[in-house]
Amino acid sequence: MSEQERNDVESRRSTLKRLAGYLMGGGLVAAYGSLAAVAARFLYPARPAETGFLFVTDLASLGVGESLVYTTPNGATVNVTRKGAGVGIEDFLALSSVCPHLGCQVHWEPQNDRYFCPCHNGIFTPEGVGIGGPPGEAGQSLSQFPLKIENGLLFIEVPLADVARGPEGPDSLSSSGKA
């Protein structure tokens, strides 16, 4: 091996050694940075989102057994159903339209009196309890939103963080129609 070849090999080895050192240093910085982020999140947990009630519909416009799809300010869809003929809060139900299994959109099937998730044949009762498919096997249910009634009007409690800016402008604050 000539002197030039030895110098080339030495140069290549020193370059690889320097590169390995940089990679190891970067990995350590990333690992300690992640640890610091987790520790900061533990010491200073996020505050719960502030919530408030937003108008959904007047009670007279939603018949018994009817459901409407309400879009929250952050873009989530909620199925609001009238279960009874009364005007009490127990006669209404607001369920998330997101399946707890994989996050697919469920829809109401009035002919079968159930919510159905087409992704994996998830079946939910009218109260949102999983009774078939993966959500039923895992004992998962649809998330429920609190409701209140004032002066014949129905309101839903949602996070207010996105109300001021709204994801798609002022139209996102109104209900999107009957399902």
Side-chain angles (χ1 to χ4, degrees):
M1 183 179 279
S2 72
E3 187 64 32
Q4 178 63 30
E5 290 173 342
R6 271 192 216 128
N7 286 341
D8 287 346
V9 169
E10 285 294 322
S11 175
R12 206 173 330 156
R13 284 185 182 165
S14 68
T15 300
L16 288 174
K17 189 176 178 181
R18 207 172 319 126
L19 181 61
Y22 290 143
L23 287 174
M24 190 166 79
L28 286 172
V29 167
Y32 283 118
S34 296
L35 179 64
V38 169
R41 181 113 181 158
F42 176 76
L43 294 174
Y44 304 103
R47 293 184 320 181
E50 190 175 339
T51 60
F53 283 93
L54 296 180
F55 172 74
V56 176
T57 188
D58 62 307
L59 300 184
S61 66
L62 193 60
V64 176
E66 287 184 341
S67 183
L68 65 85
V69 177
Y70 177 82
T71 303
T72 66
N74 67 0
T77 55
V78 179
N79 292 306
V80 180
T81 305
R82 185 169 194 160
K83 302 183 310 178
V87 292
I89 199 67
E90 66 277 358
D91 295 312
F92 296 88
L93 184 64
L95 297 172
S96 171
S97 65
V98 177
C99 180
H101 178 235
L102 289 180
C104 299
Q105 291 291 309
V106 301
H107 62 270
W108 173 247
E109 292 182 341
Q111 71 277 13
N112 296 323
D113 196 33
R114 68 181 187 180
Y115 287 99
F116 182 71
C117 178
C119 290
H120 298 102
N121 296 325
I123 300 170
F124 299 90
T125 66
E127 289 75 31
V129 178
I131 57 171
E137 294 169 5
Q140 297 173 318
S141 300
L142 297 174
S143 299
Q144 190 170 346
F145 286 77
L147 295 169
K148 79 174 182 180
I149 296 172
E150 283 184 9
N151 302 324
L153 303 175
L154 184 65
F155 296 86
I156 187 169
E157 187 175 20
V158 295
L160 293 178
D162 296 321
V163 170
R165 62 177 178 250
E168 299 165 354
D171 293 339
S172 66
L173 298 178
S174 63
S175 61
S176 61
K178 293 185 177 183

